[in-house]
Amino acid sequence: MSDMVQVAIITGVITLVNGPLVITLISKNSKKNDEIKELREDVGKLFKLVDRIAAGLTIGLKNDKVIFEAFRKNSINGDSEIQDKVMDDYFTECTVEGFKSGREE
């Protein structure tokens, strides 16, 4: 075989091997980037849920404070009505966010 034919055969084999190899590497990298993007979105949702739980716990602790203050003073003041409104607003916000959770924002 002549040198020109050997070069052509080697070049053809390298081209056939490198084509699928490059495509495989690119698709793996693309898949990895998609997984990272999906994980970042999930982390964002988790932070939002933790913030919502923290807000609920804060409201619960404020409710306890209002109740115990009313017990100490043996009277009901306007704080309980304010706390009732705060809880209603929180539950409304949670309900609205719950309806949005399955959709793109």
Side-chain angles (χ1 to χ4, degrees):
M1 271 205 256
S2 70
D3 291 336
M4 190 62 104
V5 173
Q6 287 178 345
V7 169
I9 291 173
I10 292 171
T11 304
V13 169
I14 290 173
T15 302
L16 290 175
V17 170
N18 281 343
L21 183 65
V22 170
I23 290 171
T24 302
L25 290 174
I26 290 172
S27 69
K28 282 185 180 181
N29 190 23
S30 175
K31 184 177 178 183
K32 185 177 179 181
N33 288 341
D34 289 344
E35 289 173 355
I36 290 172
K37 182 180 177 187
E38 189 174 317
L39 283 174
R40 285 186 180 153
E41 291 173 1
D42 290 343
V43 167
K45 289 178 184 177
L46 286 174
F47 277 126
K48 189 183 283 188
L49 289 173
V50 168
D51 287 343
R52 189 177 303 148
I53 291 170
L57 289 173
T58 302
I59 291 170
L61 292 172
K62 287 180 182 177
N63 284 343
D64 288 347
K65 184 178 176 184
V66 168
I67 290 168
F68 287 122
E69 184 178 339
F71 282 149
R72 275 194 307 273
K73 293 180 179 178
N74 200 18
S75 67
I76 295 177
N77 54 19
D79 290 342
S80 59
E81 287 80 14
I82 294 171
Q83 276 304 111
D84 196 28
K85 171 131 177 51
V86 169
M87 285 190 319
D88 286 342
D89 292 343
Y90 172 75
F91 291 136
T92 302
E93 178 186 338
C94 288
T95 303
V96 169
E97 288 297 318
F99 286 128
K100 287 183 185 177
S101 67
R103 298 181 182 159
E104 294 294 322
E105 295 180 7

